[in-house]
Amino acid sequence: MINVGVVGYGYWGPNLVRNFVASPDANVVTVCDRDAGRLQKVQALYPAVEVTTSAEEMIADPRIDAVIVATPVDAHFPIAMAALKAGKHVFVEKPIASTADQARQLVEEAAKRGLVLHVDHTFVYTGAVRKMHELIRTDAFGQVRYYDSTRVNLGLFQHDVNVLWDLAVHDLSIMAYVLGQTPVAVSATGHTHMPGQPEYAAFLTVYFSGDTIAHINVNWLSPVKVRRTLVGGDKQMIVYDDNEPSEKIKLYDKGISVTETPEDVRKVLISYRTGDLWVPKLQELEALSVEAAHFCACIRGEEKSLTGGEAGLELVRILEAANQSMANRGAPVEL
Amino acid sequence: MINVGVVGYGYWGPNLVRNFVASPDANVVTVCDRDAGRLQKVQALYPAVEVTTSAEEMIADPRIDAVIVATPVDAHFPIAMAALKAGKHVFVEKPIASTADQARQLVEEAAKRGLVLHVDHTFVYTGAVRKMHELIRTDAFGQVRYYDSTRVNLGLFQHDVNVLWDLAVHDLSIMAYVLGQTPVAVSATGHTHMPGQPEYAAFLTVYFSGDTIAHINVNWLSPVKVRRTLVGGDKQMIVYDDNEPSEKIKLYDKGISVTETPEDVRKVLISYRTGDLWVPKLQELEALSVEAAHFCACIRGEEKSLTGGEAGLELVRILEAANQSMANRGAPVEL
Amino acid sequence: MINVGVVGYGYWGPNLVRNFVASPDANVVTVCDRDAGRLQKVQALYPAVEVTTSAEEMIADPRIDAVIVATPVDAHFPIAMAALKAGKHVFVEKPIASTADQARQLVEEAAKRGLVLHVDHTFVYTGAVRKMHELIRTDAFGQVRYYDSTRVNLGLFQHDVNVLWDLAVHDLSIMAYVLGQTPVAVSATGHTHMPGQPEYAAFLTVYFSGDTIAHINVNWLSPVKVRRTLVGGDKQMIVYDDNEPSEKIKLYDKGISVTETPEDVRKVLISYRTGDLWVPKLQELEALSVEAAHFCACIRGEEKSLTGGEAGLELVRILEAANQSMANRGAPVEL
Amino acid sequence: MINVGVVGYGYWGPNLVRNFVASPDANVVTVCDRDAGRLQKVQALYPAVEVTTSAEEMIADPRIDAVIVATPVDAHFPIAMAALKAGKHVFVEKPIASTADQARQLVEEAAKRGLVLHVDHTFVYTGAVRKMHELIRTDAFGQVRYYDSTRVNLGLFQHDVNVLWDLAVHDLSIMAYVLGQTPVAVSATGHTHMPGQPEYAAFLTVYFSGDTIAHINVNWLSPVKVRRTLVGGDKQMIVYDDNEPSEKIKLYDKGISVTETPEDVRKVLISYRTGDLWVPKLQELEALSVEAAHFCACIRGEEKSLTGGEAGLELVRILEAANQSMANRGAPVEL
């Protein structure tokens, strides 16, 4: 049994606590939050769990093997770093930290100490994203040409981060996992509703070392909620619609054939082909429950985190570059 | 009655001929095409219409008041220019010409001679786009923040033009009409399936002089057909879905309120609001029939073309700038 | 404060307890269930609520003003009757009882004693059904011609009741409320997957004294979940789609005009008309919370139950008649 | 080449003429209609086709091998009978005749003379219905439990026939083909908007000799257009949505397992199972073109009509029984 302590019981913390409590691999020793009212809720639901308002105390507790960090983003770095320095494994909410520099320090600290540093890119643990990862890797799919995601809704306007850091972070974590390619440059554009405010709408293009492009459209000011990703392969294509209650992944047997004409290599003949559509049944486990089991297996040395510190770092590097590009109306930024 | 001659009876020509034949304002004198088989079809359907393989001859015909140009794009300029020089009014397919320079020459020639130069931005004459134009202009809509269009499908790969010139041209013509704002810069990214081939996917951002942004996502390699535009105003928002058979325009009574906090002007409070949804009944006339009547009224001096040469020129300027930006991975290009 | 006791903490009971606990008008004194494990859950969530395995004891408790009955259907009658005889107001799950005869006894007992007998036809307290009720009553709607509901999914096969008693009960309760008409006869057909088993699919027509017809299609063996009701008026029509997350009610400004021809009264001219579509924003309160407040107001004498014992009785009468008709392949049964 | 004559060039006639003209197997000799204006259209489109206003003359023409009857329903019988008596094969619109008695006479006359009598149940020749027929016949589908179709829209009110004869006729023809079972009884209910007028809405249940039930819901007064059929098998289920532009047939790998409990045969355990969804690509040929080829092959003796006179007769028998049941509020009528 791995003993965990959880810092932060705000929006996402309750889901983490619920899943780690239910996990056969873990034991939630302590929940920490500055708000006493939240701690009362913890006690009502989980009488056996201890509560505290002091993260320092919890990190120092020798019973605790791993610290789960579910605080606002700017507290990720100090708490995760303190936990690593105290020899604890760390499970931190996304984005891993506020800057790539902080993320790099966490990665190095965890590596130096041989500790697990896991970032909660939750979507990677959903049945839908797992299936997409599996389908894209088959020969039947052909080369992945593009990844195009739209994630828009009428949402809470954030004051501290823009819509890329709030919404595109999900797409970037999914994209990194399912494509497994190295991004080399980004171009981003966006819009604010008032000068000096964070962008509410943003459009991000990511170039990869291989012959693939990704595009992400995020918006807090959309009348309708769209959660749709298209992935185009040469031989098959996927539509991933997270709004669908169960038919989230659709695999289209559609594609193109490219034939070079013998007389003139500059001219190619492109034909396209349409076939059946297949909607696979997806694993229905709650993503966080899968992820909790995975984190525990990583600590036991049986698995390697699919969304470890390096993945968290890469994501923050892209977001930083995107912010820089957006400030210059799409001017490309190399990674 | 305005006597017209039509050059080009390929993909779009038959629709033009059918609508001008049916128009009470016009009389189709001649149809011209290089392909004799196509001309036979004209004769079978419209025994009273003359046919010819010579555009020069048709342009020289003194009976003809106006020439309709429905040829491939690279022939737009020479034929339209010859027609203007022969004193004929011109109705030309979009894009008006292959380059902004050519477009400018056509605009100047028409102005010099006092002739109508009309570009067939057909969508502007649909009931849906007319209604969108009307709704956006009301006080109830508030300031237009963004215009975001997705136009993707598994389509014919073109050899001579990229997907921006094939598909985004529609969005640009609609956007110009409904926003009525001056674009000042663009950033575009895109992807080709083979080096040297035209881009099959492209993502275009247009900045305007006012506080509005536009984004257009076009793709020939999508497993599903999407034709959806979101327009976000402060007080209302529109979803325009051209795939819907009749409920194409949805007006959402949703928006945001921005309140500056008295103590700190950098902090603003943003709240959002959701209300009813309204789907107006749209005019069901065929767009080309409305457009044919409008063109005739322009020739009679009663109306001014909504999509005249200047509109066609601006559209080509944006496309040229987009191509340049796309070649530089999104680097912004001022207009 | 009205003191309530709840009998039954199975599928629906937890929702009832949660809403009555949260109600400012009520105080949950005791929860009763035969299953000790369920009672432990009650104690963990609501430490202040007492628990018991004896319904008799709870009914006899002088502190309790009202008894909420959320047991299996066959226990509704004995518990509700015992509660009424003990002078308690009663809130009972639907259907009110297993037979019309039992329902009638409950109605009479409550009337005799001047107690509130309320049946939990929950849908009547949703924003969607309230809005439908309001719209249908306007002059703009015209005469209601038909009410046609489809409620199908791949669902739990029940052993004790057929699909009419499981699913159509919802439609009948909604229909009774929004139409406010008197049903006069039914015809029902259905199908079992094995002889002697309850019908998994059933098709029910209800005739009314006024010139309206209702039809209900229910099925436990459908590959897709459909929750759609059409209501056709002369001047307007409604689509109520309960699967939609927020746009549940759509009001279509469509209808017909009937004109008698002067020369021949047997011939009428019918034309139809289509106009705008309007999707009203709905009240978002949880139905049970609205219903709990209503029940308390009924006890205080301020309101009259919208879904009282008589409504529950009428619903059971229709279900009994439908069973009889279904056994005779649709032979009509007068009510 | 089979020489055909077509009687009736109203709503459907033009489609028939176009497909038989395009057929490599047939030659359209003559088109007959009482309306001279319609005949002018025929001449403009097909200069080689002769026209006449006299059906008698056309039927008597010795060059003609087969007569296509696309008149109003009440003229089907006299014209088809005259054609058969003149030794012509007959292709008649649905329903085959106004009464089962007339239909029976046509079947007998054709049989006596060894002529092809084909009824235009067009849907049977669509790719969607063909695929449904194929899927239902596999072992993987399991026993067909039910067939449930909804076909509603805001449509033209007919004066001479009710909505069953106008719309349910399509479902009955599809159902007969894909189920291939013998109907034994019907129950129908319906509603008129004015006394003495044809029913605008009707609900029809068909019982079969095997253990299957069918239900058809048709309505001219629906605000939305629905064209959806559910077919439930024990192991798989189909949704056929004719409104979908291409994904019309969806095969769900869902079903139930029924296990008898050893101790008590009256109790059965029913569990259900959900798996993948598969959307097969459909043949895209126009149904009438497939049907024209089939009719010609029948005349050449190479095929047997899939929708011959017997199928047409059965359909009219069901419609007559449904009318009778509807007049008695659902009272069952044996076939």
Side-chain angles (χ1 to χ4, degrees):
Chain A
M1 290 293 272
I2 290 155
N3 288 318
V4 306
V6 179
V7 192
Y9 199 76
Y11 170 66
W12 196 241
N15 295 323
L16 292 163
V17 172
R18 177 169 51 78
N19 277 281
F20 275 94
V21 162
S23 166
D25 303 316
N27 177 35
V28 178
V29 177
T30 314
V31 171
C32 166
D33 199 288
R34 290 187 188 160
D35 182 330
R38 290 172 176 175
L39 296 180
Q40 280 179 349
K41 285 186 197 161
V42 174
Q43 286 181 302
L45 285 169
Y46 313 103
V49 173
E50 301 172 19
V51 297
T52 175
T53 56
S54 163
E56 292 71 28
E57 213 170 79
M58 198 188 85
I59 288 169
D61 186 339
R63 293 173 303 169
I64 286 178
D65 304 310
V67 171
I68 297 175
V69 186
T71 62
V73 177
D74 54 6
H76 285 186
F77 175 72
I79 295 176
M81 184 55 90
L84 291 171
K85 289 196 167 158
K88 314 298 189 189
H89 303 287
V90 167
F91 179 113
V92 60
E93 276 315 294
K94 49 85 197 158
I96 182 173
S98 300
T99 67
D101 185 56
Q102 290 176 346
R104 204 171 288 114
Q105 292 181 49
L106 292 176
V107 169
E108 288 167 4
E109 190 70 29
K112 199 170 70 184
R113 295 178 181 269
L115 294 167
V116 173
L117 172 60
H118 175 91
V119 190
D120 184 12
H121 294 173
T122 320
F123 273 100
V124 166
Y125 301 91
T126 59
V129 173
R130 288 291 176 97
K131 182 59 77 177
M132 190 156 51
H133 178 266
E134 173 194 327
L135 293 172
I136 284 176
R137 267 156 180 71
T138 62
D139 286 343
F141 198 80
Q143 190 192 329
V144 180
R145 296 296 185 172
Y146 68 87
Y147 179 99
D148 181 15
S149 181
T150 303
R151 185 178 297 272
V152 304
N153 55 264
L154 193 60
L156 275 176
F157 278 65
Q158 311 283 333
H159 285 282
D160 44 353
V161 295
N162 64 34
V163 71
L164 285 172
W165 288 69
D166 182 45
L167 294 183
V169 67
H170 295 302
D171 298 293
L172 290 170
S173 69
I174 298 169
M175 185 187 87
Y177 173 62
V178 302
L179 295 186
Q181 296 188 21
T182 308
V184 294
V186 302
S187 166
T189 55
H191 197 240
T192 61
H193 60 280
M194 281 191 79
Q197 289 296 308
E199 287 82 1
Y200 70 88
F203 314 106
L204 169 63
T205 296
V206 182
Y207 294 92
F208 291 89
S209 56
D211 192 16
T212 298
I213 198 168
H215 183 257
I216 298 170
N217 178 336
V218 283
N219 196 331
W220 285 329
L221 195 59
S222 165
V224 287
K225 183 179 177 184
V226 182
R227 293 281 181 270
R228 182 161 56 181
T229 303
L230 310 179
V231 187
D234 276 355
K235 302 183 198 155
Q236 293 183 332
M237 303 184 199
I238 287 172
V239 176
Y240 162 37
D241 187 342
D242 206 45
N243 277 353
E244 287 280 338
S246 62
E247 300 171 7
K248 290 179 188 293
I249 297 289
K250 297 189 174 153
L251 181 73
Y252 289 82
D253 184 25
K254 293 186 174 180
I256 50 164
S257 318
V258 179
T259 323
E260 292 198 15
T261 50
E263 62 280 10
D264 184 349
V265 306
R266 288 166 311 172
K267 284 210 174 168
V268 292
L269 296 173
I270 297 154
S271 55
Y272 55 91
R273 181 184 60 72
T274 72
D276 295 353
L277 159 62
W278 178 61
V279 184
K281 181 170 157 63
L282 302 176
Q283 156 220 305
E284 284 170 2
L285 292 170
E286 185 175 353
L288 267 185
S289 136
V290 174
E291 192 177 354
H294 174 57
F295 177 58
C296 293
C298 292
I299 291 176
R300 292 191 309 263
E302 298 163 7
E303 298 181 7
K304 190 173 173 324
S305 173
L306 284 171
T307 55
E310 293 80 3
L313 166 58
E314 184 173 288
L315 195 150
V316 173
R317 285 179 62 225
I318 296 177
L319 289 172
E320 281 190 345
N323 272 6
Q324 190 185 329
S325 176
M326 197 154 57
N328 293 290
R329 290 191 160 182
V333 176
E334 309 261 323
L335 290 169
Chain B
M1 290 292 270
I2 290 155
N3 289 319
V4 304
V6 180
V7 193
Y9 199 76
Y11 170 67
W12 197 241
N15 295 324
L16 292 164
V17 172
R18 178 169 51 78
N19 277 283
F20 275 93
V21 162
S23 165
D25 303 316
N27 177 37
V28 178
V29 176
T30 315
V31 171
C32 167
D33 198 289
R34 290 189 189 159
D35 182 331
R38 290 173 175 173
L39 295 181
Q40 280 180 350
K41 284 187 196 160
V42 174
Q43 286 182 301
L45 285 168
Y46 312 103
V49 173
E50 300 171 21
V51 298
T52 175
T53 56
S54 163
E56 292 70 26
E57 214 171 78
M58 198 187 86
I59 287 169
D61 185 337
R63 294 173 301 169
I64 286 178
D65 305 310
V67 171
I68 297 176
V69 186
T71 62
V73 176
D74 55 6
H76 286 186
F77 176 71
I79 294 176
M81 183 56 88
L84 290 171
K85 288 194 168 160
K88 314 297 190 190
H89 303 285
V90 167
F91 180 113
V92 60
E93 277 314 294
K94 50 86 198 157
I96 183 175
S98 301
T99 66
D101 186 56
Q102 290 176 346
R104 204 170 287 113
Q105 291 181 48
L106 292 175
V107 168
E108 288 167 5
E109 190 70 29
K112 200 170 67 184
R113 293 178 180 272
L115 294 167
V116 173
L117 172 60
H118 175 91
V119 191
D120 183 11
H121 294 173
T122 321
F123 273 99
V124 166
Y125 301 91
T126 59
V129 172
R130 288 292 176 97
K131 182 58 77 176
M132 191 155 51
H133 177 267
E134 172 193 327
L135 293 172
I136 284 174
R137 265 155 184 70
T138 62
D139 286 343
F141 199 79
Q143 190 192 330
V144 180
R145 297 296 186 172
Y146 69 86
Y147 180 99
D148 180 15
S149 181
T150 303
R151 186 177 297 270
V152 304
N153 56 261
L154 193 58
L156 276 175
F157 278 65
Q158 311 283 335
H159 286 282
D160 45 352
V161 296
N162 64 33
V163 70
L164 285 172
W165 288 68
D166 182 45
L167 295 183
V169 67
H170 295 302
D171 298 295
L172 291 170
S173 69
I174 298 168
M175 183 187 89
Y177 174 62
V178 301
L179 295 186
Q181 296 189 20
T182 307
V184 294
V186 303
S187 165
T189 55
H191 197 240
T192 62
H193 61 282
M194 282 190 78
Q197 289 297 308
E199 285 82 1
Y200 71 86
F203 315 107
L204 169 63
T205 296
V206 181
Y207 294 92
F208 290 90
S209 56
D211 191 17
T212 299
I213 197 169
H215 183 258
I216 297 171
N217 177 338
V218 283
N219 195 331
W220 286 329
L221 195 61
S222 165
V224 286
K225 184 179 178 184
V226 182
R227 293 280 182 270
R228 182 161 55 182
T229 302
L230 310 180
V231 187
D234 277 355
K235 303 183 199 154
Q236 293 183 332
M237 303 185 199
I238 286 172
V239 176
Y240 162 37
D241 187 343
D242 205 45
N243 277 352
E244 287 279 339
S246 63
E247 300 171 9
K248 290 179 189 293
I249 297 289
K250 295 187 175 154
L251 181 73
Y252 290 81
D253 183 26
K254 294 184 174 182
I256 50 165
S257 318
V258 179
T259 322
E260 293 198 14
T261 50
E263 62 279 12
D264 183 352
V265 304
R266 287 165 311 169
K267 285 209 174 169
V268 292
L269 295 173
I270 297 155
S271 55
Y272 55 91
R273 177 185 61 72
T274 72
D276 294 354
L277 159 61
W278 178 61
V279 183
K281 182 169 157 63
L282 303 176
Q283 154 222 308
E284 283 169 3
L285 292 171
E286 186 175 354
L288 268 185
S289 135
V290 174
E291 192 177 353
H294 175 54
F295 178 57
C296 293
C298 292
I299 291 175
R300 293 192 307 264
E302 299 163 9
E303 298 180 8
K304 190 174 172 326
S305 173
L306 284 171
T307 55
E310 293 80 4
L313 166 59
E314 182 171 291
L315 197 151
V316 174
R317 286 179 64 224
I318 296 177
L319 288 173
E320 281 190 345
N323 273 6
Q324 189 186 329
S325 175
M326 197 154 57
N328 292 291
R329 291 191 159 180
V333 175
E334 309 262 323
L335 290 168
Chain C
M1 292 291 272
I2 290 154
N3 289 319
V4 305
V6 180
V7 192
Y9 198 75
Y11 170 67
W12 197 240
N15 295 323
L16 291 163
V17 172
R18 177 170 51 79
N19 277 282
F20 275 94
V21 163
S23 167
D25 302 316
N27 177 36
V28 178
V29 175
T30 314
V31 171
C32 167
D33 198 288
R34 290 188 189 160
D35 182 330
R38 290 172 174 175
L39 295 180
Q40 280 180 351
K41 284 188 198 160
V42 174
Q43 287 181 301
L45 284 170
Y46 312 103
V49 172
E50 299 172 22
V51 298
T52 176
T53 56
S54 162
E56 291 71 27
E57 213 171 78
M58 198 188 85
I59 288 169
D61 185 339
R63 293 173 302 170
I64 285 178
D65 305 309
V67 171
I68 298 176
V69 186
T71 62
V73 176
D74 54 7
H76 286 185
F77 176 72
I79 294 176
M81 184 56 89
L84 290 171
K85 290 194 167 160
K88 313 296 189 191
H89 304 285
V90 167
F91 179 113
V92 61
E93 277 314 295
K94 50 89 199 154
I96 183 173
S98 301
T99 66
D101 185 57
Q102 289 176 347
R104 204 170 288 112
Q105 291 181 50
L106 291 175
V107 168
E108 289 167 5
E109 190 70 29
K112 198 171 70 184
R113 294 178 180 271
L115 295 167
V116 173
L117 173 61
H118 174 91
V119 191
D120 184 11
H121 293 173
T122 320
F123 273 99
V124 166
Y125 301 92
T126 60
V129 173
R130 289 292 177 97
K131 181 60 74 175
M132 191 154 51
H133 177 266
E134 173 194 325
L135 293 172
I136 285 175
R137 265 155 184 71
T138 62
D139 285 344
F141 198 80
Q143 190 192 330
V144 180
R145 296 297 185 171
Y146 68 87
Y147 180 100
D148 181 14
S149 182
T150 303
R151 187 178 296 270
V152 305
N153 55 263
L154 192 59
L156 277 174
F157 278 64
Q158 311 282 336
H159 285 281
D160 44 353
V161 295
N162 63 34
V163 70
L164 285 173
W165 288 68
D166 181 44
L167 294 184
V169 66
H170 295 301
D171 297 294
L172 291 170
S173 69
I174 298 169
M175 185 187 87
Y177 174 62
V178 300
L179 295 186
Q181 295 188 22
T182 308
V184 294
V186 302
S187 165
T189 55
H191 197 240
T192 62
H193 60 282
M194 283 190 79
Q197 289 297 308
E199 286 82 2
Y200 71 86
F203 314 105
L204 169 63
T205 296
V206 181
Y207 294 91
F208 291 89
S209 56
D211 191 15
T212 299
I213 197 169
H215 183 257
I216 297 170
N217 177 337
V218 283
N219 195 331
W220 285 328
L221 195 60
S222 165
V224 287
K225 184 178 177 183
V226 182
R227 294 279 181 273
R228 184 161 54 184
T229 302
L230 310 180
V231 186
D234 277 356
K235 302 183 200 156
Q236 293 183 332
M237 304 186 196
I238 286 173
V239 176
Y240 162 36
D241 187 342
D242 206 44
N243 277 352
E244 286 280 338
S246 62
E247 300 170 9
K248 291 180 188 291
I249 297 290
K250 295 187 176 153
L251 181 73
Y252 290 81
D253 183 26
K254 294 185 174 182
I256 51 165
S257 320
V258 180
T259 323
E260 293 199 12
T261 50
E263 63 279 14
D264 183 351
V265 305
R266 287 165 312 169
K267 284 209 177 169
V268 292
L269 295 173
I270 297 154
S271 55
Y272 55 91
R273 178 184 61 73
T274 73
D276 294 352
L277 159 61
W278 178 62
V279 183
K281 182 169 158 62
L282 302 176
Q283 155 220 308
E284 284 170 2
L285 292 171
E286 185 176 354
L288 268 185
S289 135
V290 174
E291 191 176 353
H294 175 56
F295 178 58
C296 292
C298 292
I299 291 176
R300 292 192 307 263
E302 299 163 7
E303 298 181 8
K304 189 174 174 322
S305 173
L306 284 171
T307 55
E310 292 79 4
L313 164 60
E314 183 173 288
L315 195 152
V316 173
R317 286 180 63 226
I318 296 177
L319 288 172
E320 281 190 344
N323 272 5
Q324 189 186 330
S325 175
M326 197 155 56
N328 293 291
R329 291 191 159 180
V333 176
E334 309 262 324
L335 289 168
Chain D
M1 291 292 273
I2 290 154
N3 289 319
V4 305
V6 180
V7 193
Y9 198 76
Y11 171 66
W12 196 241
N15 294 322
L16 292 163
V17 171
R18 178 170 50 79
N19 276 283
F20 275 93
V21 163
S23 166
D25 302 316
N27 178 35
V28 178
V29 176
T30 313
V31 171
C32 167
D33 199 288
R34 290 186 189 162
D35 182 330
R38 289 171 176 176
L39 296 181
Q40 280 180 348
K41 285 186 197 163
V42 174
Q43 286 181 302
L45 285 169
Y46 313 102
V49 172
E50 298 171 21
V51 298
T52 175
T53 56
S54 162
E56 292 70 28
E57 214 169 79
M58 196 187 85
I59 287 168
D61 184 338
R63 293 173 301 169
I64 286 179
D65 304 310
V67 171
I68 298 177
V69 186
T71 62
V73 176
D74 55 6
H76 286 186
F77 176 71
I79 294 176
M81 185 55 90
L84 290 171
K85 289 195 167 158
K88 314 295 189 191
H89 303 287
V90 167
F91 179 113
V92 61
E93 277 315 293
K94 48 87 198 157
I96 183 173
S98 300
T99 67
D101 185 55
Q102 290 176 346
R104 204 171 287 111
Q105 291 182 51
L106 292 175
V107 169
E108 288 167 4
E109 189 69 27
K112 198 170 70 183
R113 296 179 179 268
L115 295 167
V116 173
L117 173 61
H118 174 91
V119 190
D120 184 12
H121 294 172
T122 320
F123 273 100
V124 167
Y125 301 92
T126 59
V129 173
R130 288 292 175 97
K131 180 60 76 176
M132 190 154 53
H133 177 266
E134 173 194 326
L135 293 172
I136 285 174
R137 267 154 180 73
T138 62
D139 286 344
F141 198 79
Q143 189 192 329
V144 180
R145 296 296 185 173
Y146 68 87
Y147 179 99
D148 181 15
S149 182
T150 303
R151 186 177 298 271
V152 304
N153 55 262
L154 192 59
L156 276 175
F157 279 66
Q158 312 282 335
H159 285 282
D160 45 351
V161 295
N162 64 33
V163 69
L164 286 172
W165 289 67
D166 181 45
L167 294 183
V169 67
H170 295 300
D171 297 295
L172 291 170
S173 69
I174 299 169
M175 185 187 88
Y177 174 62
V178 301
L179 295 186
Q181 295 188 24
T182 307
V184 295
V186 302
S187 165
T189 55
H191 196 241
T192 62
H193 61 281
M194 281 191 78
Q197 289 297 306
E199 286 82 1
Y200 70 87
F203 314 105
L204 169 62
T205 296
V206 182
Y207 294 92
F208 291 89
S209 56
D211 191 17
T212 299
I213 197 168
H215 182 258
I216 296 170
N217 178 336
V218 283
N219 195 331
W220 285 328
L221 195 60
S222 166
V224 287
K225 183 180 177 185
V226 182
R227 294 280 181 270
R228 182 161 56 182
T229 302
L230 310 180
V231 187
D234 276 356
K235 302 182 198 157
Q236 292 183 332
M237 304 185 197
I238 286 172
V239 176
Y240 162 37
D241 187 343
D242 206 43
N243 277 352
E244 287 279 338
S246 63
E247 301 171 7
K248 290 180 187 292
I249 297 289
K250 297 189 174 152
L251 181 72
Y252 289 82
D253 184 26
K254 293 184 175 182
I256 50 163
S257 318
V258 179
T259 322
E260 292 198 14
T261 51
E263 63 278 13
D264 183 352
V265 304
R266 287 166 310 169
K267 283 209 176 171
V268 291
L269 295 172
I270 297 155
S271 55
Y272 56 92
R273 178 185 61 72
T274 73
D276 294 353
L277 158 62
W278 178 61
V279 184
K281 182 170 156 62
L282 303 176
Q283 157 220 306
E284 284 170 4
L285 293 170
E286 185 175 353
L288 267 185
S289 137
V290 174
E291 192 176 354
H294 175 56
F295 178 59
C296 293
C298 292
I299 291 175
R300 290 193 308 264
E302 299 163 5
E303 298 181 7
K304 190 174 174 323
S305 173
L306 284 170
T307 54
E310 293 80 3
L313 165 59
E314 183 172 291
L315 196 151
V316 174
R317 287 179 62 226
I318 296 177
L319 289 172
E320 281 190 346
N323 272 5
Q324 189 186 330
S325 175
M326 197 155 56
N328 292 291
R329 291 191 160 181
V333 175
E334 310 262 325
L335 289 169

